[in-house]
Amino acid sequence: MIRFTRVTLALGIVILTSTIAAAQAPAGGGQRGAPPPEPTNLQVLPKTMTTAQILPIMRNFAAALGTNCGYCHVWTGAGLPTNDYAADTKPAKLVARVMIQMSNEINEKLAANIKKPASELTRVQCMTCHRGAAIPVLPPPAPAPGAPAAPGAAPAGAPPAER
């Protein structure tokens, strides 16, 4: 009986150990892929930035626009060698550069003219306008003074309805 218990315990340990090892093994046959290449073709972000510094920024862009890497980059799938982040073939990437420059200029101008500590400034970011949409959706224009309100709308000056 003791021998059966020891064999069962040993077998359980082997199964548990192999399960843990399998859960921690990388996908793709157990071989670890090469680390992501360091960025090239940086034109707006500082050229000294590393991949580790850029990834959180890119994730924020993707969240703000409700997109993924393939919206701006030549991207065929996570970790694939066919991804080409440096290519300038997609118009969205060129637009993104201009938008980043525009946001930076607005934030610099605000900081210079408001004269508040940086910690008290609200910065203009992609999410400011995009709010999760690749093409920003504008709110409807405010009614002209004296114009009848839209059906179901609160009268001018009324506090917002509670939900």
Side-chain angles (χ1 to χ4, degrees), residues 75-154:
W75 189 78
T76 55
L80 295 178
T82 50
N83 295 332
D84 187 357
Y85 298 103
D88 287 335
T89 55
K90 293 198 172 186
K93 183 175 180 182
L94 305 176
V95 170
R97 284 186 178 132
V98 174
M99 300 294 282
I100 294 166
Q101 291 169 327
M102 177 190 70
S103 297
N104 288 344
E105 289 169 13
I106 290 169
N107 289 323
E108 288 171 12
K109 191 176 245 184
L110 282 171
N113 290 300
I114 293 180
K115 307 217 186 314
K116 281 187 175 180
S119 62
E120 293 180 21
L121 291 175
T122 300
R123 297 182 52 84
V124 172
Q125 300 175 354
C126 302
M127 187 62 85
T128 305
C129 299
H130 284 271
R131 298 183 183 132
I135 306 297
V137 178
L138 300 175

